């Protein structure tokens, strides 16, 4: 079972045993909800929404700088 | 974990803002964001509908969101894009310009474009490589060039207000940088509004109280097409370093960034005894471009490009 995250054209696979909340998935990937948003099928997901096996979601890194 | 619903209706929340103890659906978030921008504009007396406003746009989420909000609020706001000549696998500057042009065309807005290579003979990265300090700090050269060119565009086209989309993360990172290095003069000047002076327009930051994730969420929910690619020179930048530290603190202490920055407003007044802040300048001006300088002779930008470039 896996969820696929796409961050700036790169795919990151996350093996899961069961449904995960967005916040939990971000924690497992080492990201913070403060710095990354999750979009599924064009919709912004809140931190408590579930991610399931087979989901392909987009990760948006919100922090930019220079 | 329980499902997260909007605090204003029975729809699923799109975003939770822990620092405000507020969670909103898409429609209520978009409404809240626009209204809050108007609140900040009025609170700080940034500008009115009779002012001529120039919005500095980069093609990114913050600046295009700001232009979108000002357009929705019926301000007379035109855009300005500076093509810095930054190359990357995805042609960073060219792509950024395309996003800005498309945004303006879709809304029937006026966009001014300054192309540094065409106007001054070299790109900003090329100018940076010519400077000893620029090789180590290309972002500092870029910032200096952008400040100069934004001022010049406002002067040339008769805008009395120049607005940038600096968000709270930008401002808090700058505050931390200035504090850690005791840049007292920069601390004195760090404000959501810098009054006009020395022929320069008033400078304002209407997004200064929005977290960076909030401006990104606005762009996404509004359907604004923006460049997601990061500037290739930003990797390892000082600003990103301080943003990283502040976000670690925010993860552990909700509201930390907001308190750090907004409490500074009161502290600055107590420390420096001034409510309004003006651009620097003591009457000296650059003999080439006419902009105020803090030293005799050419300003930093004119020194960099060479007097023949102007």
């Amino acid at each position: 079972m896996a969820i696929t995250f796409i961050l700036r054209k790169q795919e990151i696979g996350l093996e899961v045993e069961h449904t995960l909340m967005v916040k939990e998935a971000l924690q497992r990937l080492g990201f913070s909800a403060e710095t990354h948003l999750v979009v599924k099928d064009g919709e912004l997901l809140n931190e408590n929404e579930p991610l399931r096996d087979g989901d392909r979601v987009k990760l948006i890194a919100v922090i930019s700088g220079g | 974990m329980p499902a997260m619903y909007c605090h204003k209706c029975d729809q699923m929340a799109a975003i939770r803002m822990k620092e405000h103890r507020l969670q909103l659906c898409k429609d209520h978030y978009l409404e809240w964001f626009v209204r809050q921008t108007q609140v900040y504009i009025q609170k700080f007396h940034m500008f009115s509908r009779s002012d001529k406003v120039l919005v500095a746009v980069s093609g990114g989420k913050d600046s295009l969101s700001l232009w979108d909000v000002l357009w929705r609020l019926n301000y007379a706001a035109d855009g300005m894009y500076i093509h810095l000549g930054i190359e990357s696998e995805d042609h960073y500057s060219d792509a950024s310009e395309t996003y800005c042009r498309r945004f303006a065309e879709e809304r029937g807005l006026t966009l001014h474009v300054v192309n540094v290579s065409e106007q001054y003979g070299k790109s900003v990265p090329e100018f940076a490589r010519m400077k000893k300090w620029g090789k180590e700090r290309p972002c500092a050269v870029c910032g200096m060039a952008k400040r100069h060119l934004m001022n010049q565009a406002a002067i040339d086209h008769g805008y009395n207000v120049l607005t940038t989309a600096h968000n709270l993360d930008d401002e808090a990172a700058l505050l931390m940088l200035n504090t850690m290095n005791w840049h007292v003069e920069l601390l004195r000047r760090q404000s959501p509004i810098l009054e006009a002076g020395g022929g320069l327009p008033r400078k304002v930051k209407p997004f200064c109280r929005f977290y960076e994730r909030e401006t990104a969420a606005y762009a996404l929910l509004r359907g604004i097409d923006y460049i997601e690619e990061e500037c290739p020179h930003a990797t390892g930048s000082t600003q990103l370093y301080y943003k990283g530290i502040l976000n670690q603190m925010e993860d552990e202490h909700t509201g930390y960034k907001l308190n750090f920055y907004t409490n500074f407003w009161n502290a600055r007044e107590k420390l420096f005894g001034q409510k309004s802040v003006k651009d620097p300048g003591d009457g000296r001006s650059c003999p080439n471009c006419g902009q105020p300088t803090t030293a005799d002779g050419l300003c930093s930008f004119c020194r960099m490009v060479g007097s023949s470039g102007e």
Side-chain angles (χ1 to χ4, degrees), chain B residues 2-281:
Chain B
M4 199 185 282
Y5 290 100
C6 176
H7 280 170
K8 302 224 169 174
C9 70
D10 57 4
Q11 294 292 307
M12 188 69 78
I15 184 166
R16 176 163 71 139
M17 294 165 283
K18 283 194 285 186
E19 74 280 9
H20 298 310
R21 294 181 183 158
L22 183 64
Q23 53 201 47
L24 296 171
C25 66
K26 174 183 173 179
D27 289 347
H28 281 116
Y29 181 71
L30 293 174
E31 188 184 296
W32 175 86
F33 192 92
V34 173
R35 195 173 56 244
Q36 286 299 303
T37 307
Q38 176 65 3
V39 166
Y40 306 148
I41 289 169
Q42 287 179 325
K43 177 182 167 73
F44 292 104
H45 307 288
M46 291 183 175
F47 48 84
S48 70
R49 288 186 177 78
S50 61
D51 284 307
K52 209 175 160 201
V53 181
L54 185 63
V55 189
V57 290
S58 65
K61 66 189 188 306
D62 301 297
S63 58
L64 292 184
S65 292
L66 175 60
W67 201 6
D68 177 87
V69 171
L70 297 185
W71 170 64
R72 286 173 192 281
L73 289 168
N74 293 315
Y75 285 104
D78 294 337
M80 184 224 179
Y81 174 75
I82 303 171
H83 190 295
L84 300 158
I86 295 172
E87 292 295 336
S88 69
E89 195 181 314
D90 294 322
H91 310 286
Y92 183 76
S93 284
D94 288 343
S96 305
E97 182 178 336
T98 301
Y99 281 99
C100 294
R101 285 193 183 279
R102 196 182 302 146
F103 179 95
E105 279 165 20
E106 284 170 359
R107 291 159 182 80
L109 297 169
T110 300
L111 176 71
H112 304 281
V113 176
V114 174
N115 187 308
V116 176
S117 299
E118 285 175 11
Q119 201 160 332
Y120 300 99
K122 288 186 179 66
S123 68
V124 166
E126 285 171 332
F127 280 122
R129 282 194 288 273
M130 288 167 58
K131 293 263 172 203
K132 191 181 172 196
W133 59 280
K135 280 180 199 159
E136 293 156 10
R137 299 165 58 218
C139 298
V141 172
C142 186
M144 180 267 285
K146 284 194 285 192
R147 278 190 297 279
H148 176 93
L149 294 167
M150 287 189 293
N151 282 331
Q152 201 59 51
I155 295 165
D156 292 347
H157 298 286
Y159 294 93
N160 65 321
V161 178
L162 175 61
T163 180
T164 53
H166 290 94
N167 57 52
L168 189 135
D169 290 56
D170 295 326
E171 291 298 295
L174 181 63
L175 177 58
M176 193 173 219
L177 166 72
N178 287 339
T179 305
M180 295 303 283
N181 292 283
W182 293 121
H183 291 318
V184 177
E185 190 49 40
L186 296 178
L187 285 168
R188 185 197 303 277
R189 294 180 53 219
Q190 190 175 350
S191 167
I193 175 162
L194 207 56
E195 292 296 345
L200 299 182
R202 188 187 313 149
K203 298 197 184 75
V204 297
K205 300 172 182 173
F207 277 4
C208 67
R209 276 198 61 180
F210 289 126
Y211 278 26
E212 194 151 6
R213 71 189 286 270
E214 293 166 8
T215 59
Y218 179 83
L220 280 169
L221 292 171
R222 185 63 86 189
I224 294 170
D225 207 11
Y226 67 89
I227 187 159
E228 285 181 41
E229 190 196 350
E230 180 73 299
C231 173
H233 298 285
T235 310
S237 75
T238 311
Q239 190 191 37
L240 284 179
Y241 172 74
Y242 283 112
K243 281 185 176 182
I245 292 172
L246 285 161
N247 279 322
Q248 279 178 33
M249 292 168 139
E250 182 75 24
D251 275 336
E252 290 176 25
H253 305 283
T254 298
Y256 183 89
K257 290 186 291 192
L258 185 64
N259 288 338
F260 178 54
Y261 179 57
T262 56
N263 287 344
F264 169 67
W265 293 341
N266 293 330
R268 190 173 55 78
E269 212 174 310
K270 285 179 188 160
L271 287 168
F272 302 118
Q274 57 185 37
K275 203 158 189 162
S276 68
V277 188
K278 279 193 175 179
D279 241 336

Side-chain angles (χ1 to χ4, degrees), chain A residues 32 34 46 48 58 64-66, chain B residues 2 13 211 228 234 239 243 251:
Chain A
S32 158
E34 194 58 36
N46 72 48
N48 287 7
K58 191 173 172 186
S64 58
Chain B
Y211 278 26
E228 285 181 41
Q239 190 191 37
K243 281 185 176 182
D251 275 336

